Amino acid sequence: MTDVVEEYEHNCRIVREHIEGEEDRFHYEGPLGRVKSFYSLDKARLYADVHTVTGGFREEKTGERGIPPAVARAREDVVMAYLVSNPTMGMKWVARAYDLPEEQVRSYVELVQNRATEMRGGETDDDE
């Protein structure tokens, strides 16, 4: 069973999939269907934020730890946010990879989240 958690422009959304006896999964979906799946709603939302600030991107042929060209061309904070959103990575992984304190990576991620919120017209969960 699935339910829509959030909807975004361009027919994109995050849906929660309930699977009996397993952890819920969150799927970022686009107009052509499922794009990426997560066990964390926060990572799914961050992935949606990166999609928003880059104007969208495609991940085909980027490999498990590759970066899509549209993300790679973006500012460093966007690249870091994309990597943090990856199900096999996270804040600690990115901080070690960039040799930065976790708090600095967290600040970069927040910049991307704030920019995405502004681009969406300032809507946040707190506005509901």
PDB file of all heavy atoms in Angstrom, residues 36 59 61-68 82-83 86 89:
ATOM      1  N   LYS A  36      13.902   6.945  -7.509  1.00  0.00           N
ATOM      2  CA  LYS A  36      14.847   6.438  -6.520  1.00  0.00           C
ATOM      3  C   LYS A  36      14.089   6.113  -5.239  1.00  0.00           C
ATOM      4  O   LYS A  36      13.115   6.780  -4.908  1.00  0.00           O
ATOM      5  CB  LYS A  36      15.936   7.473  -6.251  1.00  0.00           C
ATOM      6  CG  LYS A  36      17.147   6.925  -5.542  1.00  0.00           C
ATOM      7  CD  LYS A  36      18.326   7.866  -5.728  1.00  0.00           C
ATOM      8  CE  LYS A  36      19.585   7.150  -5.312  1.00  0.00           C
ATOM      9  NZ  LYS A  36      20.756   7.649  -5.970  1.00  0.00           N
ATOM     10  N   GLU A  59      19.886   9.961 -13.671  1.00  0.00           N
ATOM     11  CA  GLU A  59      20.977   9.209 -13.062  1.00  0.00           C
ATOM     12  C   GLU A  59      21.453   8.005 -13.878  1.00  0.00           C
ATOM     13  O   GLU A  59      22.358   7.323 -13.433  1.00  0.00           O
ATOM     14  CB  GLU A  59      20.561   8.713 -11.675  1.00  0.00           C
ATOM     15  CG  GLU A  59      20.404   9.827 -10.699  1.00  0.00           C
ATOM     16  CD  GLU A  59      20.234   9.329  -9.290  1.00  0.00           C
ATOM     17  OE1 GLU A  59      19.177   8.739  -9.013  1.00  0.00           O
ATOM     18  OE2 GLU A  59      21.158   9.524  -8.492  1.00  0.00           O
ATOM     19  N   LYS A  61      23.417   5.515 -15.899  1.00  0.00           N
ATOM     20  CA  LYS A  61      24.834   5.304 -16.209  1.00  0.00           C
ATOM     21  C   LYS A  61      25.787   6.122 -15.332  1.00  0.00           C
ATOM     22  O   LYS A  61      26.914   6.361 -15.713  1.00  0.00           O
ATOM     23  CB  LYS A  61      25.103   5.591 -17.691  1.00  0.00           C
ATOM     24  CG  LYS A  61      24.299   4.709 -18.620  1.00  0.00           C
ATOM     25  CD  LYS A  61      24.562   5.037 -20.055  1.00  0.00           C
ATOM     26  CE  LYS A  61      23.658   4.198 -20.944  1.00  0.00           C
ATOM     27  NZ  LYS A  61      23.747   4.571 -22.323  1.00  0.00           N
ATOM     28  N   THR A  62      25.322   6.564 -14.154  1.00  0.00           N
ATOM     29  CA  THR A  62      26.235   7.286 -13.267  1.00  0.00           C
ATOM     30  C   THR A  62      26.907   6.340 -12.275  1.00  0.00           C
ATOM     31  O   THR A  62      27.831   6.738 -11.587  1.00  0.00           O
ATOM     32  CB  THR A  62      25.519   8.400 -12.471  1.00  0.00           C
ATOM     33  OG1 THR A  62      24.465   7.827 -11.720  1.00  0.00           O
ATOM     34  CG2 THR A  62      25.010   9.489 -13.383  1.00  0.00           C
ATOM     35  N   GLY A  63      26.427   5.104 -12.199  1.00  0.00           N
ATOM     36  CA  GLY A  63      27.015   4.144 -11.269  1.00  0.00           C
ATOM     37  C   GLY A  63      26.536   4.399  -9.855  1.00  0.00           C
ATOM     38  O   GLY A  63      25.857   5.374  -9.561  1.00  0.00           O
ATOM     39  N   GLU A  64      26.887   3.507  -8.944  1.00  0.00           N
ATOM     40  CA  GLU A  64      26.406   3.600  -7.563  1.00  0.00           C
ATOM     41  C   GLU A  64      26.904   4.862  -6.865  1.00  0.00           C
ATOM     42  O   GLU A  64      26.211   5.473  -6.091  1.00  0.00           O
ATOM     43  CB  GLU A  64      26.836   2.364  -6.767  1.00  0.00           C
ATOM     44  CG  GLU A  64      26.322   2.389  -5.347  1.00  0.00           C
ATOM     45  CD  GLU A  64      26.715   1.172  -4.560  1.00  0.00           C
ATOM     46  OE1 GLU A  64      26.895   0.092  -5.158  1.00  0.00           O
ATOM     47  OE2 GLU A  64      26.856   1.312  -3.343  1.00  0.00           O
ATOM     48  N   ARG A  65      28.136   5.257  -7.116  1.00  0.00           N
ATOM     49  CA  ARG A  65      28.674   6.442  -6.444  1.00  0.00           C
ATOM     50  C   ARG A  65      29.006   7.559  -7.419  1.00  0.00           C
ATOM     51  O   ARG A  65      29.719   8.484  -7.089  1.00  0.00           O
ATOM     52  CB  ARG A  65      29.907   6.058  -5.632  1.00  0.00           C
ATOM     53  CG  ARG A  65      29.524   5.134  -4.507  1.00  0.00           C
ATOM     54  CD  ARG A  65      30.634   4.932  -3.552  1.00  0.00           C
ATOM     55  NE  ARG A  65      30.174   3.986  -2.552  1.00  0.00           N
ATOM     56  CZ  ARG A  65      30.361   4.122  -1.269  1.00  0.00           C
ATOM     57  NH1 ARG A  65      31.019   5.143  -0.809  1.00  0.00           N
ATOM     58  NH2 ARG A  65      29.916   3.242  -0.426  1.00  0.00           N
ATOM     59  N   GLY A  66      28.450   7.490  -8.619  1.00  0.00           N
ATOM     60  CA  GLY A  66      28.677   8.547  -9.598  1.00  0.00           C
ATOM     61  C   GLY A  66      27.753   9.726  -9.347  1.00  0.00           C
ATOM     62  O   GLY A  66      26.822   9.657  -8.557  1.00  0.00           O
ATOM     63  N   ILE A  67      28.024  10.805 -10.023  1.00  0.00           N
ATOM     64  CA  ILE A  67      27.225  12.019  -9.872  1.00  0.00           C
ATOM     65  C   ILE A  67      26.692  12.398 -11.247  1.00  0.00           C
ATOM     66  O   ILE A  67      27.467  12.520 -12.198  1.00  0.00           O
ATOM     67  CB  ILE A  67      28.084  13.160  -9.292  1.00  0.00           C
ATOM     68  CG1 ILE A  67      28.613  12.767  -7.912  1.00  0.00           C
ATOM     69  CG2 ILE A  67      27.283  14.453  -9.219  1.00  0.00           C
ATOM     70  CD1 ILE A  67      29.596  13.745  -7.334  1.00  0.00           C
ATOM     71  N   PRO A  68      25.384  12.596 -11.366  1.00  0.00           N
ATOM     72  CA  PRO A  68      24.824  13.000 -12.662  1.00  0.00           C
ATOM     73  C   PRO A  68      25.442  14.319 -13.135  1.00  0.00           C
ATOM     74  O   PRO A  68      25.758  15.191 -12.317  1.00  0.00           O
ATOM     75  CB  PRO A  68      23.331  13.188 -12.360  1.00  0.00           C
ATOM     76  CG  PRO A  68      23.085  12.393 -11.126  1.00  0.00           C
ATOM     77  CD  PRO A  68      24.355  12.444 -10.339  1.00  0.00           C
ATOM     78  N   TYR A  82      23.522  16.172  -2.726  1.00  0.00           N
ATOM     79  CA  TYR A  82      23.200  14.985  -3.522  1.00  0.00           C
ATOM     80  C   TYR A  82      23.853  13.745  -2.913  1.00  0.00           C
ATOM     81  O   TYR A  82      23.210  12.712  -2.743  1.00  0.00           O
ATOM     82  CB  TYR A  82      23.653  15.171  -4.975  1.00  0.00           C
ATOM     83  CG  TYR A  82      23.528  13.903  -5.775  1.00  0.00           C
ATOM     84  CD1 TYR A  82      22.295  13.495  -6.267  1.00  0.00           C
ATOM     85  CD2 TYR A  82      24.639  13.094  -6.019  1.00  0.00           C
ATOM     86  CE1 TYR A  82      22.169  12.312  -6.978  1.00  0.00           C
ATOM     87  CE2 TYR A  82      24.520  11.919  -6.729  1.00  0.00           C
ATOM     88  CZ  TYR A  82      23.278  11.528  -7.207  1.00  0.00           C
ATOM     89  OH  TYR A  82      23.158  10.349  -7.906  1.00  0.00           O
ATOM     90  N   LEU A  83      25.127  13.847  -2.573  1.00  0.00           N
ATOM     91  CA  LEU A  83      25.830  12.707  -1.994  1.00  0.00           C
ATOM     92  C   LEU A  83      25.246  12.316  -0.642  1.00  0.00           C
ATOM     93  O   LEU A  83      25.087  11.125  -0.345  1.00  0.00           O
ATOM     94  CB  LEU A  83      27.325  13.002  -1.874  1.00  0.00           C
ATOM     95  CG  LEU A  83      28.074  13.143  -3.202  1.00  0.00           C
ATOM     96  CD1 LEU A  83      29.497  13.638  -2.963  1.00  0.00           C
ATOM     97  CD2 LEU A  83      28.072  11.836  -3.984  1.00  0.00           C
ATOM     98  N   ASN A  86      22.162  10.202  -0.972  1.00  0.00           N
ATOM     99  CA  ASN A  86      22.356   8.857  -1.508  1.00  0.00           C
ATOM    100  C   ASN A  86      22.147   7.818  -0.410  1.00  0.00           C
ATOM    101  O   ASN A  86      22.719   7.944   0.663  1.00  0.00           O
ATOM    102  CB  ASN A  86      23.764   8.744  -2.107  1.00  0.00           C
ATOM    103  CG  ASN A  86      23.936   7.508  -2.928  1.00  0.00           C
ATOM    104  OD1 ASN A  86      23.709   6.402  -2.459  1.00  0.00           O
ATOM    105  ND2 ASN A  86      24.342   7.679  -4.164  1.00  0.00           N
ATOM    106  N   MET A  89      25.291   6.536   1.294  1.00  0.00           N
ATOM    107  CA  MET A  89      26.215   7.529   1.842  1.00  0.00           C
ATOM    108  C   MET A  89      25.501   8.306   2.934  1.00  0.00           C
ATOM    109  O   MET A  89      24.431   7.949   3.353  1.00  0.00           O
ATOM    110  CB  MET A  89      26.698   8.466   0.742  1.00  0.00           C
ATOM    111  CG  MET A  89      27.481   7.779  -0.338  1.00  0.00           C
ATOM    112  SD  MET A  89      27.935   8.928  -1.617  1.00  0.00           S
ATOM    113  CE  MET A  89      27.960   7.863  -3.046  1.00  0.00           C
TER     114      MET A  89
END
